[in-house]
Amino acid sequence: MDRFALDYLKNWKSKPNRKPLVIRGARQVGKTYLVRMLAHECFESVLEINFEHHPDMASYFDSKDPGKILQLLELQYNMAIQPGRCLLFLDEIQTAPQILASLRYFLEEMPELHVISAGSLLEFAMKEPVFSMPVGRIEYMYIGPMQFEEFLAAAGEKGLVEFLGGFNIGNAIPTPLHDKLMSLLRKFLVAGGMPESMAVYLQRGSWQECEATKTALMTTLEDDFSKYGSRVPHQRLQMVFRKMPTLVGTKFKYVHVNRDVRARELADALALLCQARVAHHVYHSSCTGIPLGATIDEKRFKVLFLDVGLLSSAVGLNLLDYEKAEDVMMVNAGAVCEQFVGQHLLFSQDFYRAPELHYWVREKKNSSAEVDYVISQGSSIVPIEVKSGKGGTLKSLHLFLREKGRHFGIRFNSDRPSVLDLETAVSDGRNVPYRLISLPLYLAGQVRRLLGNHGLSS
C-alpha cells in the first residue's frame, strides 16, 4: 500500500544537507514497511538491523568511527555497504537508544551514507537519556495511521484521491459522488488507518478477519505496557487505555476513568500512553496568538485515541451501525467523527513537525462554550467544529469569533460542501461578518491545503 510519507523520504534521500533520519510513531503504524518501500524503490541494497531481535548488535556501534562500524557490519552480514547505494536501516532503536549518540559521527564523517532509524517507544529512551543526544545532527519524521486518501488509493480509487487533492473551496461535489465518498468513509471508520487491519479488509474483504486483526493489535499494544518502565503499574495503564475510547470528544476527567484511583496516578498512566503515541493530549489554548501551544492550560484537555478503527472496535461499533445511521455524525454521539477529524488534523502537518492539536473552551456560569479544534495557518487561528449539518448549533463558534476577533470558521459534517457569508452580533450590538466553510468529513485530510489556497498561507 502506498504511503504519502514515501515522497517525503524520497526528498530526504536527495537532499544535499541530509542528516540521519529518526522516524517516530506508535507501534504498528507502518514505520518499517515505509522504509522498506524506500529501499526497494531507491537503493541497490539495504542493511536492516532490528535491535529488538538482535540486541547484541548494539555493541558494534560503541565505536565513534563510522568506518570501523561499517567494516564490522560488512563482516557480520557478508555484504558491501556502499554509501549512496546502500541504505543502513536501524529498526526498533528504542531497545538500544545509545546508538542515537553514534548517529552524529555518521553525519560528521560519512554524510554520504543514508542512515534511517525507527522506534515505537523512543520517547521513553529520550526523556531521561543516559547518553549524549546528537542535538542538531539528526532530523525527525513523525508518522501516524494511514489517512482516508491512502485508504482510497489502496482500495483502487486513485481517481477519487486525485479529485479530493484537486478540490477547492467553492467547488461543488455532485450528490452521487458525495454519496460514494461517504460510503467509503463509513468503511474507513471501521477498518481504520492501521496498515495491517486495512490490508486485511481490502485484500480479503472480510470484516470478521479485520475485526480479529484489530483485536490482536489492541492486545499487542497492551503487551507493550511491560516496557513502559516500573513507574506505573501495568493494571493502571490497562485501565486508562481501555477507558480512553469512551472519553474521546469530551473534557477528560480522571473520575470518569476510576473514581477510586487518585488523579495523580491516572495522570501518570495517561502521560506514558501519550509518550508512546497510542493517545494524544488535545490541550485547551487561550488562542491569543501564535503558536497555540504557548498558551495552553495543561489542566484542561481532551484525548484522541491512536486510530478511529481501533476506537470503533473498542466501543463495539461495526459497519452495520454506521450504515443504518441516518447521519454518520450521530453514531456514538459524534465522538467517532471527532476522532476521525482529529487524527487527520494531527498528521496533516509537515512530517518533520511533532503532531499537536488544540481546542478552545470557556467555562463560565451560564456562558460555557467549546470549539472542537483550533489550528493555526500562517498568522491565522482557525476554529473547527465537527457538527451535524441539520441539528448542530454553532453557538460556541460564534462566541469564539466574537471574543477573538476572527472572521473565518470551518464546520465538518456529512453534507456536501458549502460557503456561507454570515454575521454574528458583538457586545456593542454591531453585526460582524464572518465566513463559514462547511466541508464533508472526507475532506479532513485536505483542510490545511484548502486554507492555504483560500488565502491563509502556511
Side-chain angles (χ1 to χ4, degrees):
M1 296 185 293
D2 293 336
R3 297 295 300 265
F4 297 147
L6 183 59
D7 289 335
Y8 182 86
L9 284 179
K10 290 178 178 179
N11 290 333
W12 167 84
K13 174 187 180 295
S14 303
K15 287 196 308 183
N17 57 342
R18 177 190 64 250
K19 299 177 182 178
L21 183 67
V22 179
I23 302 179
R24 301 166 73 169
R27 186 173 291 277
Q28 301 291 331
V29 295
K31 300 183 296 295
T32 301
Y33 178 78
L34 182 62
V35 177
R36 289 174 179 170
M37 288 175 63
L38 175 73
H40 175 73
E41 294 190 21
C42 300
F43 290 92
E44 296 178 13
S45 61
V46 57
L47 175 55
E48 178 179 332
I49 305 174
N50 185 310
F51 292 100
E52 200 166 64
H53 297 160
H54 304 286
D56 55 314
M57 294 305 300
S59 63
Y60 282 21
F61 292 80
D62 291 343
S63 172
K64 297 181 180 180
D65 181 354
K68 183 177 180 180
I69 295 173
L70 293 191
Q71 185 181 42
L72 293 172
L73 293 177
E74 287 179 332
L75 291 171
Q76 176 71 37
Y77 292 96
N78 191 29
M79 65 176 290
I81 304 175
Q82 297 178 299
R85 297 182 178 182
C86 178
L87 171 65
L88 178 59
F89 177 32
L90 312 175
D91 202 9
E92 302 295 356
I93 200 172
Q94 77 280 350
T95 305
Q98 69 276 12
I99 292 175
L100 286 170
S102 69
L103 297 183
R104 64 173 296 174
Y105 302 111
F106 283 97
L107 173 66
E108 294 169 353
E109 301 181 29
M110 198 175 288
E112 66 275 17
L113 179 69
H114 294 79
V115 184
I116 296 179
S117 63
S120 53
L121 296 173
L122 274 173
E123 275 64 24
F124 298 108
M126 296 170 66
K127 188 173 184 180
E128 297 178 356
V130 294
F131 54 90
S132 177
M133 284 294 297
V135 178
R137 292 173 174 83
I138 57 177
E139 52 187 299
Y140 295 111
M141 176 184 183
Y142 300 86
I143 67 169
M146 297 178 72
Q147 298 202 354
F148 178 61
E149 288 86 347
E150 293 173 314
F151 170 75
L152 293 178
E157 298 284 358
K158 292 188 176 181
L160 289 178
V161 177
E162 293 178 4
F163 174 80
L164 295 180
F167 176 86
N168 281 306
I169 293 172
N171 291 2
I173 298 180
T175 298
L177 190 57
H178 171 76
D179 291 343
K180 179 179 181 178
L181 284 162
M182 287 301 299
S183 177
L184 289 164
L185 174 73
R186 287 177 167 86
K187 292 181 171 64
F188 180 84
L189 294 178
V190 181
M194 301 300 281
E196 186 179 0
S197 61
M198 184 187 293
V200 166
Y201 164 66
L202 292 175
Q203 294 169 8
R204 303 177 192 174
S206 169
W207 286 114
Q208 185 176 10
E209 290 186 52
C210 178
E211 197 63 36
T213 301
K214 289 189 290 177
T215 300
L217 284 172
M218 295 281 277
T219 302
T220 298
L221 294 172
E222 290 193 19
D223 288 344
D224 270 350
F225 292 166
S226 60
K227 303 174 184 177
Y228 286 22
S230 58
R231 186 155 56 94
V232 175
H234 182 285
Q235 296 83 353
R236 196 175 302 142
L237 286 164
Q238 186 181 70
M239 179 194 307
V240 178
F241 178 76
R242 293 183 176 181
K243 192 67 177 179
M244 269 193 302
T246 68
L247 301 176
V248 169
T250 63
K251 179 184 176 182
F252 193 91
K253 295 181 179 180
Y254 296 108
V255 68
H256 293 159
V257 177
N258 190 320
R259 63 177 58 253
D260 297 324
V261 180
R262 290 187 303 172
R264 181 68 266 168
E265 296 173 347
L266 295 174
D268 289 342
L270 179 60
L272 287 177
L273 294 171
C274 289
Q275 288 176 34
R277 301 187 181 277
V278 299
H280 299 273
H281 285 109
V282 181
Y283 287 111
H284 159 74
S285 170
S286 66
C287 298
T288 54
I290 305 295
L292 294 171
T295 59
I296 64 170
D297 180 351
E298 293 187 353
K299 294 181 179 180
R300 295 185 187 182
F301 64 89
K302 301 189 293 185
V303 294
L304 283 173
F305 200 49
L306 170 59
D307 173 65
V308 68
L310 297 181
L311 183 147
S312 290
S313 295
V315 297
L317 295 171
N318 57 40
L319 183 61
L320 182 60
D321 295 306
Y322 292 105
E323 290 187 335
K324 70 182 181 182
E326 181 180 352
D327 186 347
V328 70
M329 294 287 301
M330 297 295 100
V331 177
N332 201 38
V336 174
C337 291
E338 188 167 331
Q339 166 74 35
F340 170 82
V341 172
Q343 74 183 61
H344 280 72
L345 292 176
L346 266 176
F347 292 100
S348 64
Q349 303 177 84
D350 295 315
F351 288 105
Y352 60 83
R353 296 186 185 277
E356 64 174 7
L357 190 58
H358 304 91
Y359 81 120
W360 177 81
V361 61
R362 188 176 80 165
E363 296 177 338
K364 291 185 178 182
K365 189 176 182 180
N366 300 324
S367 184
S368 61
E370 178 183 314
V371 173
D372 294 327
Y373 300 117
V374 286
I375 62 172
S376 60
Q377 186 78 358
S379 60
S380 298
I381 297 175
V382 182
I384 296 176
E385 289 276 56
V386 186
K387 300 291 184 188
S388 169
K390 296 179 180 178
T393 62
L394 296 172
K395 292 181 180 178
S396 294
L397 180 66
H398 290 171
L399 185 59
F400 178 90
L401 294 171
R402 290 197 299 267
E403 285 201 0
K404 305 302 176 182
R406 303 291 168 175
H407 305 279
F408 188 90
I410 289 179
R411 171 176 60 187
F412 281 105
N413 58 23
S414 55
D415 294 337
R416 290 189 295 161
S418 65
V419 179
L420 297 174
D421 290 311
L422 306 170
E423 292 183 340
T424 183
V426 293
S427 57
D428 62 4
R430 290 181 298 114
N431 289 327
V432 176
Y434 77 96
R435 173 162 288 188
L436 174 66
I437 296 178
S438 291
L439 297 173
L441 291 161
Y442 52 76
L443 282 169
Q446 302 290 328
V447 67
R448 294 185 188 275
R449 177 187 65 82
L450 292 174
L451 290 173
N453 291 350
H454 199 63
L456 299 179
S457 65
S458 59

